[in-house]
Amino acid sequence: MIQLRVFLFLFFAALVCTSTTAQNTHQLKTVNVNSQAILVKKTVLRQKSYFELDSSIMKYYQHKTLTDVLQENSNAFLKNYGIGMLSTISLRGSSAAQTGVYWNGINVNSATTGLSDFSLFPVSLFNKVSISSGEEGQIGGAIILSNDIQDRNTAAPIHLSLGYESTGSKSLLFSQASATRSWSVQNKLFVQHANNRFWFLNPAQDSIMPLNHARSQQYGLLSDVSKHIRKHQEVSLHVWLSRYYRQIPPTIYEDSSSKNDDGSTLRSVLEWKTQSRNLHYGVHVRTGYIRERYQYQDSMLQMKTQSFLQTIPFQFMLRRSKKNTYADIQWSANYANLMFKTDSNLFRTGPKLSFSIYSPHTGFNLRTFFQKEWSNLFRIPSRYGLFLSKRFKKNGLQLFVNAHTAVRTPTLNELYFNPGGNPNLKPEHSYNGELGINFEKYGKRFIVKTDLIGFKRTVQNWILWYGNAIFTPHNIAEVKSYGMDSRLEGSYLLKQRQVQRKEMDQAQDILLKTSFMYAYTIITTSKSSLNASYSEGKQLAYVPRYLFKWNVGVVTPRWEFSYHYQYTGYRFTTLDESEFLLPYTLHALKAGLHTNTYQYRIHWQLTLNNVLNTYYEGVWGRVMPGRNLGLSVSFEPILKNCCKRM
Amino acid sequence: MVRFALLWICLGLFVSCVKDKPNPVQTEKPNLNHSGVWVLNEGVYGNSNADLSFIDLSDNTVYNNLYKQHYGESFGDIAQDVQWIQQTLWVTVNNSNKIIILDPNTFQPIHEIKNIISPRYMQSIGDSVVLVTSLTTNHIYCIRTSTFEVFKVIDVNYPGTEHLVLHNNYVYVTNWHENSPLLYRIHVPDFNLASSIILKHKASHDVVVDADDNIWVLSGNPYKNVSSHLQVLHAQTYQTVKDLAFPNAAEPIRLCCDMERKNLYFIGVNYSGQTTYNGLFKMNYLDDVLPQQPFIPANLNSYFYSVAINPTNNFIFLADANGFNQRSTLYEFSGNGKLQHTFITGLGSTKMLFQ
């Protein structure tokens, strides 16, 4: 409660402080340039198994969570326990805990469970969402969420949006952004109340029935404040408070449920970054505080579990850069402990060295890193890697190869959960390799971008939970995976003209946009530590071998229409492929309308999900909604100079 | 753009060469004229996939998923016990709150008794009445087998009644609740709670009667900080004959005995799969100390989940649930602990029944 009060105070104080500041376009630009100077090289040198969600995509998901946006617009597979329920990510067959989820540079995966529940991450809270499948040092890549200051350039000072879904979900989004020469502030509030009620044909009970006991409430408050101390020096604070309560509905096999879970999380990040005047040296210090509370309750079984956790991360980075070369020395530390439990903690610390060189003439880019960490519990293997790419300027082709080792340390639950925690666990250790092609072609009327990446990975000491009444995590020896991760995007200009309307130049382009995403993932146990295991050579549970998505749409300045198709292949629910869930195909239609009133730009959006009312289960027995409708409306004030800038 | 799309699709098809559709499953029925063992597979918690296997011991053929293959659906969530009663198989399905009575020849259900809350174990009384214990309530249900009706509910002091055994017109019922030191004694002809025997230790969960008619009670719940003990009661006086304490953190389960009731077996479970007190333990009913070493040690990273003794030859059937996320391994050992056969059964093999 104290956290909430403190946060609300900060939130409204920031609102009051910034409401008096003028909306000065020029000032915003100044901020932007400075920020970009720090970030530009990193962007250029980033490896290309990296994909950033377009802001035009993100706006469709303002009232949705990361689950929805990633499910429809990336090669990630989301293991979904039902509408509004736990939802975890799998990139290239990885477990959710192997994929780092970074918010403003800090890994916000829960230190207890090791994973992030993406159904509790509203898209609208973030300015940028990126997927880095080959993130160095991470076994299963990373999801990168940020509220970068530079993005506020395009953000409206005030934004209000209301959403409604036919499953009984109501949501509200309010955001505010403002900046002066030295200060920049952004606040966002997200509230969602959902009944999550829909009717479905229950195959286990052969009757049409409603999904009961599925209500959920979610609140998110996010505030970003940054201050430019000098020309190349900036301090920023990011605070994110979230709280939720949800009833856990019965599976299709159960008549009723009395389970529910609720939790609250405070995440905060404090950053300071500076550069020398000649931009040759830069220092970046980042620390934070994360506090989590989680409670699960089953009143029928009179069962209640609670956990309280705090995490304190710290990062220090010194960068030496010159022309197209840079070298980083980084020291990081992370302390996590279960509160009210002595000796239930994990501390990791160690250095990371990285070096990168880019030759604009030859198009070669080389990056290498070495990372060593120590912990208070176990030996952590060293991490190292090499990335090499070659860009061909003439035809927009880039070839790259990426090889690195990665580590995931056991979580506090895996080590200490009672009953079942296994303090003898070793960290997971992987050898990752990828080989890829990026291709971009810009024509007069079209743009084509494609990523075609083959990957191979071997993970040793993969951690898996065994058991029924009592679950215990084990290192199950070795898991190998390989496959292909590909994406093809294209835009075609159907019509182009300029019109003069209300003192503003508006482009009247009519665009045809399409994207194909295809993921082929084979992930099998190659060596099991069990004496009698039938999992060797078999696909791991809940990793579809085939995943295909297609989006196509027409965008006009006033209207937008799009169609989404998704195929998800067989998903085994056991390690020996003896039980499985059937494949499913989904179709969705979306339409958007922009209207302008005297002072406001209004954006209407209508979405029809699961058009063919397909029955499917995200997880065994957990039914997903059939045909459902979503409607949202957003309001933004029209700023003349803002629009010119855009 | 068409060229890029074609190239992209061709490459995609080229590298995608693994068949996605799983292999079809067997659908034959076993020959029930042969001697064999029924194996109840509890399934994965929450997945409602409990089922039944049969091993034909004449040719060691395993028939899995019999109920689902022939009836079209699984038993439900977490099958707990199976018993032969009046030429039918009775199956308690704990998390689905029901008992299924099925015809073993057709694998079709004859009847479902619903609204039995968390049914655990059954004890048949002369094939006319079945007593059923309950995990979450303090009830013991009395069911008439001719009508499948619950004709009486016996209330006890604590929830969590577990294994039960019939001996000399009394049914002895254990009580796994961490605060319960009671062993309930139910008089059979009238199904009344005759008395509650106060044990030395709490959380009893297994009970057998040995060749001298002494009652062996296994108790403990390390998860709830109740250490495990094996207490032996005199059959007439209910005085403690033996009181044997297990090492700290040892978790013995599934107490059973051979046909002569002279050798007792129990499983020591180590959930982390380490070697400490992990395996099948054997002791003679005259022993005054607990075995220190397992008679059949569990494999590293594994633990045994259920055990049964073949009444015809005292061979030991020992199941490893393999983590409950793949099929179980059922080992058949001779009476002296020599491995005879290995079978692959269903998910979470929890109970064996010989015919």
Side-chain angles (χ1 to χ4, degrees):
Chain A
M1 201 62 200
I2 292 167
Q3 292 167 16
L4 182 68
R5 284 178 193 161
V6 169
F7 188 84
L8 284 171
F9 173 78
L10 283 172
F11 183 82
F12 289 109
L15 271 179
V16 170
C17 290
T18 56
S19 61
T20 53
T21 58
Q23 301 297 322
N24 191 318
T25 309
H26 175 71
Q27 286 167 343
L28 275 169
K29 271 191 169 173
T30 309
V31 172
N32 188 31
V33 168
N34 289 340
S35 304
Q36 274 188 334
I38 296 168
L39 294 164
V40 67
K41 281 174 186 166
K42 199 175 174 183
T43 307
V44 168
L45 297 171
R46 191 178 280 281
Q47 59 204 41
K48 294 293 276 183
S49 56
Y50 172 86
F51 168 68
E52 185 180 319
L53 284 175
D54 197 83
S55 59
S56 65
I57 293 173
M58 298 240 314
K59 77 177 179 193
Y60 267 114
Y61 297 88
Q62 282 185 18
H63 294 272
K64 298 281 192 176
T65 60
L66 280 186
T67 299
D68 304 288
V69 73
L70 293 175
Q71 198 153 253
E72 294 185 2
N73 297 284
S74 75
N75 278 329
F77 172 69
L78 276 297
K79 184 180 169 187
N80 204 328
Y81 283 75
I83 181 171
M85 297 298 121
L86 175 69
S87 174
T88 55
I89 195 166
S90 172
L91 283 177
R92 297 178 178 174
S94 66
S95 72
Q98 290 167 350
T99 298
V101 178
Y102 291 90
W103 173 65
N104 293 308
I106 297 288
N107 194 339
V108 291
N109 272 341
S110 167
T112 40
T113 59
L115 49 87
S116 291
D117 182 354
F118 281 11
S119 69
L120 301 174
F121 283 44
V123 174
S124 48
L125 290 189
F126 313 108
N127 293 12
K128 199 193 282 181
V129 177
S130 313
I131 303 152
S132 178
S133 303
E135 183 75 8
E136 62 186 28
Q138 289 288 340
I139 294 176
I143 302 296
I144 299 158
L145 312 169
S146 66
N147 300 92
D148 285 349
I149 300 156
Q150 62 174 5
D151 296 325
R152 291 170 206 164
N153 205 14
T154 55
I158 289 176
H159 179 100
L160 174 70
S161 184
L162 304 167
Y164 175 79
E165 286 177 22
S166 59
T167 51
S169 170
K170 288 164 275 185
S171 53
L172 176 145
L173 165 70
F174 175 75
S175 68
Q176 171 273 336
S178 55
T180 64
R181 186 177 296 275
S182 57
W183 283 91
S184 181
V185 176
Q186 176 180 249
N187 296 295
K188 292 183 175 187
L189 168 71
F190 181 80
V191 179
Q192 186 182 53
H193 283 221
N195 284 331
N196 298 325
R197 191 178 167 86
F198 59 89
W199 291 78
F200 65 100
L201 175 63
N202 187 333
Q205 302 184 17
D206 204 19
S207 62
I208 295 174
M209 55 197 300
L211 187 76
N212 289 318
H213 193 76
R215 267 188 226 152
S216 65
Q217 293 163 13
Q218 191 183 150
Y219 308 91
L221 275 165
L222 192 143
S223 187
D224 306 289
V225 182
S226 67
K227 163 99 173 114
H228 277 264
I229 299 166
R230 286 197 293 269
K231 192 179 178 184
H232 297 299
Q233 199 174 121
E234 183 185 298
V235 177
S236 56
L237 173 69
H238 311 273
V239 183
W240 174 16
L241 184 69
S242 64
R243 188 168 194 158
Y244 76 95
Y245 164 83
R246 62 188 171 196
Q247 297 173 330
I248 300 171
T251 63
I252 59 170
Y253 309 107
E254 294 173 315
D255 294 325
S256 62
S257 165
S258 57
K259 306 177 188 93
N260 61 62
D261 67 343
D262 68 273
S264 57
T265 310
L266 168 71
R267 301 174 179 95
S268 59
V269 177
L270 180 65
E271 286 181 281
W272 175 72
K273 47 191 174 186
T274 186
Q275 282 192 311
S276 60
R277 285 186 181 181
N278 56 12
L279 303 181
H280 287 175
Y281 291 94
V283 174
H284 195 156
V285 183
R286 182 186 281 139
T287 186
Y289 178 73
I290 300 172
R291 189 185 168 100
E292 296 172 44
R293 180 190 66 81
Y294 175 77
Q295 180 174 288
Y296 171 85
Q297 204 168 354
D298 187 342
S299 54
M300 196 185 289
L301 295 179
Q302 296 173 338
M303 190 173 129
K304 188 175 177 181
T305 56
Q306 274 188 315
S307 66
F308 296 88
L309 169 89
Q310 61 183 357
T311 308
I312 302 168
F314 173 79
Q315 290 169 8
F316 170 85
M317 188 177 81
L318 173 66
R319 171 171 289 187
R320 167 81 170 104
S321 55
K322 195 173 180 184
K323 286 189 177 175
N324 297 304
T325 308
Y326 75 78
D328 287 344
I329 300 172
Q330 188 177 322
W331 193 283
S332 60
N334 195 83
Y335 174 79
N337 80 309
L338 288 168
M339 293 158 79
F340 315 121
K341 282 191 180 178
T342 52
D343 301 331
S344 299
N345 59 63
L346 175 60
F347 177 66
R348 289 161 26 210
T349 187
K352 180 180 178 184
L353 309 172
S354 49
F355 172 77
S356 179
I357 184 164
Y358 175 64
S359 165
H361 302 297
T362 62
F364 273 106
N365 177 17
L366 172 79
R367 178 179 161 81
T368 182
F369 79 97
F370 174 82
Q371 185 173 10
K372 178 67 193 164
E373 271 191 304
W374 295 272
S375 92
N376 59 335
L377 295 178
F378 30 67
R379 189 186 146 271
I380 300 177
S382 303
R383 281 171 265 191
Y384 45 88
L386 181 76
F387 170 78
L388 181 66
S389 71
K390 161 77 177 162
R391 181 182 290 277
F392 299 90
K393 280 184 182 170
K394 277 186 182 174
N395 51 17
L397 189 71
Q398 178 175 270
L399 302 175
F400 71 89
V401 59
N402 184 14
H404 65 99
T405 66
V407 171
R408 179 181 81 84
T409 53
T411 65
L412 293 177
N413 262 5
E414 288 166 341
L415 293 165
Y416 301 117
F417 189 76
N418 185 24
N422 184 354
N424 301 313
L425 284 177
K426 296 177 213 155
E428 294 175 339
H429 183 217
S430 76
Y431 299 91
N432 299 30
E434 55 180 354
L435 185 67
I437 303 169
N438 308 125
F439 176 77
E440 292 179 358
K441 178 93 176 168
Y442 295 86
K444 277 187 179 177
R445 299 182 73 91
F446 71 89
I447 302 171
V448 176
K449 293 180 186 177
T450 185
D451 300 328
L452 197 62
I453 302 158
F455 64 88
K456 195 167 181 353
R457 183 175 60 205
T458 302
V459 183
Q460 291 168 343
N461 297 322
W462 184 293
I463 296 170
L464 206 66
W465 286 78
Y466 281 180
N468 229 11
I470 293 177
F471 290 84
T472 304
H474 292 264
N475 292 108
I476 64 158
E478 193 173 88
V479 172
K480 286 189 173 171
S481 58
Y482 65 89
M484 193 182 86
D485 206 357
S486 58
R487 183 178 185 90
L488 173 66
E489 281 182 347
S491 300
Y492 185 78
L493 189 63
L494 294 169
K495 201 172 177 183
Q496 186 177 31
R497 60 183 176 144
Q498 290 286 117
V499 297
Q500 193 80 16
R501 182 192 284 185
K502 289 185 182 175
E503 303 169 350
M504 287 186 295
D505 287 334
Q506 281 199 342
Q508 292 289 291
D509 299 348
I510 300 177
L511 274 174
L512 175 70
K513 293 175 92 170
T514 189
S515 62
F516 300 88
M517 286 150 279
Y518 173 64
Y520 169 65
T521 309
I522 298 298
I523 180 162
T524 55
T525 307
S526 51
K527 279 184 208 160
S528 173
S529 56
L530 292 183
N531 185 51
S533 175
Y534 313 115
S535 63
E536 286 182 21
K538 299 288 197 302
Q539 184 83 350
L540 237 59
Y542 287 107
V543 181
R545 291 188 184 113
Y546 297 98
L547 202 60
F548 176 73
K549 296 160 191 179
W550 177 41
N551 291 305
V552 61
V554 176
V555 182
T556 75
R558 190 171 162 79
W559 289 95
E560 291 170 5
F561 299 98
S562 67
Y563 163 76
H564 168 76
Y565 170 89
Q566 182 183 334
Y567 170 80
T568 304
Y570 285 89
R571 290 143 296 146
F572 297 100
T573 58
T574 51
L575 294 178
D576 57 358
E577 299 185 0
S578 58
E579 307 244 330
F580 54 86
L581 290 171
L582 291 170
Y584 61 87
T585 305
L586 296 177
H587 307 263
L589 292 169
K590 289 171 186 166
L593 168 66
H594 297 276
T595 56
N596 290 349
T597 62
Y598 175 65
Q599 283 182 319
Y600 293 96
R601 178 181 294 117
I602 303 172
H603 177 64
W604 298 85
Q605 191 181 302
L606 187 67
T607 309
L608 182 62
N609 296 308
N610 195 358
V611 176
L612 299 183
N613 207 22
T614 304
Y615 174 89
Y616 69 106
E617 293 169 29
V619 169
W620 187 280
R622 296 277 171 199
V623 63
M624 299 300 292
R627 188 181 300 116
N628 65 89
L629 202 65
L631 177 67
S632 70
V633 56
S634 308
F635 304 89
E636 280 178 15
I638 296 172
L639 296 175
K640 290 175 186 174
N641 47 5
C642 166
C643 293
K644 275 180 184 170
R645 187 187 74 226
M646 289 165 69
Chain B
M1 177 150 169
V2 174
R3 275 187 301 164
F4 299 124
L6 284 173
L7 173 72
W8 191 80
I9 290 164
C10 289
L11 275 167
L13 292 172
F14 179 71
V15 298
S16 310
C17 50
V18 174
K19 192 186 82 165
D20 203 23
K21 193 171 184 179
N23 293 323
V25 291
Q26 64 174 47
T27 54
E28 309 101 78
K29 282 184 185 171
N31 185 342
L32 298 183
N33 295 321
H34 295 170
S35 65
V37 53
W38 295 94
V39 183
L40 185 67
N41 306 303
E42 69 176 48
V44 179
Y45 179 74
N47 281 12
S48 201
N49 53 0
D51 216 307
L52 194 64
S53 302
F54 182 80
I55 302 168
D56 187 333
L57 292 178
S58 64
D59 60 2
N60 293 326
T61 308
V62 184
Y63 300 85
N64 282 323
N65 294 332
L66 287 168
Y67 194 66
K68 187 164 187 182
Q69 289 305 317
H70 298 284
Y71 180 58
E73 60 183 57
S74 302
F75 286 138
D77 203 16
I78 307 297
Q80 197 73 39
D81 194 11
V82 58
Q83 297 283 343
W84 271 113
I85 296 166
Q86 289 187 334
Q87 302 303 311
T88 57
L89 286 170
W90 286 49
V91 177
T92 55
V93 193
N94 181 250
N95 208 33
S96 296
N97 302 315
K98 65 183 179 184
I99 298 172
I100 295 172
I101 297 102
L102 75 141
D103 180 346
N105 295 301
T106 62
F107 302 104
Q108 301 296 311
I110 296 167
H111 193 80
E112 269 191 20
I113 305 170
K114 293 190 173 174
N115 302 321
I116 303 274
I117 301 168
S118 297
R120 291 286 278 186
Y121 297 100
M122 295 177 282
Q123 177 64 55
S124 163
I125 318 289
D127 262 11
S128 60
V129 171
V130 177
L131 295 192
V132 183
T133 57
S134 168
L135 177 67
T136 55
T137 71
N138 58 345
H139 302 327
I140 298 164
Y141 299 92
C142 306
I143 301 170
R144 211 177 299 283
T145 55
S146 55
T147 59
F148 307 117
E149 65 170 337
V150 178
F151 68 91
K152 187 168 188 176
V153 174
I154 303 165
D155 284 342
V156 294
N157 297 43
Y158 297 92
T161 47
E162 280 281 298
H163 278 99
L164 62 177
V165 65
L166 173 66
H167 183 63
N168 288 344
N169 288 336
Y170 285 99
V171 175
Y172 297 91
V173 186
T174 54
N175 196 178
W176 198 28
H177 194 277
E178 68 271 24
N179 294 327
S180 170
L182 303 177
L183 178 72
Y184 304 109
R185 197 165 67 106
I186 294 165
H187 192 231
V188 165
D190 55 10
F191 300 101
N192 284 327
L193 183 62
S195 64
S196 298
I197 301 163
I198 300 174
L199 300 168
K200 286 193 165 183
H201 308 285
K202 293 174 181 173
S204 59
H205 48 83
D206 283 280
V207 57
V208 295
V209 178
D210 71 9
D212 285 347
D213 286 348
N214 287 333
I215 302 166
W216 292 63
V217 182
L218 185 59
S219 64
N221 187 344
Y223 162 48
K224 298 273 177 74
N225 295 318
V226 182
S227 56
S228 298
H229 291 82
L230 190 55
Q231 188 178 347
V232 186
L233 304 174
H234 191 274
Q236 269 79 47
T237 63
Y238 304 119
Q239 296 298 309
T240 301
V241 178
K242 294 175 192 173
D243 183 14
L244 310 172
F246 285 89
N248 277 344
E251 185 153 7
I253 58 169
R254 316 276 194 192
L255 181 65
C256 64
C257 52
D258 58 14
M259 274 308 287
E260 295 79 30
R261 295 188 285 155
K262 289 185 175 176
N263 286 308
L264 291 101
Y265 299 87
F266 59 85
I267 293 172
V269 175
N270 187 324
Y271 289 108
S272 65
Q274 301 303 304
T275 51
T276 314
Y277 226 81
N278 195 3
L280 180 76
F281 292 79
K282 179 183 179 182
M283 65 185 291
N284 190 275
Y285 76 121
L286 298 174
D287 289 350
D288 291 326
V289 290
L290 289 168
Q292 298 300 307
Q293 296 301 321
F295 177 56
I296 301 169
N299 295 308
L300 189 65
N301 297 314
S302 300
Y303 55 87
F304 294 125
Y305 190 60
S306 59
V307 59
I309 311 298
N310 190 339
T312 57
N313 56 7
N314 278 339
F315 272 29
I316 302 159
F317 283 72
L318 199 51
D320 179 346
N322 285 330
F324 295 89
N325 44 27
Q326 54 184 311
R327 288 163 294 170
S328 307
T329 306
L330 186 62
Y331 300 98
E332 182 188 7
F333 292 93
S334 63
N336 59 11
K338 190 176 175 192
L339 182 64
Q340 303 295 307
H341 296 104
T342 302
F343 308 100
I344 302 173
T345 53
L347 291 166
S349 295
T350 186
K351 186 81 193 262
M352 280 79 85
L353 193 65
F354 295 90
Q355 73 160 38

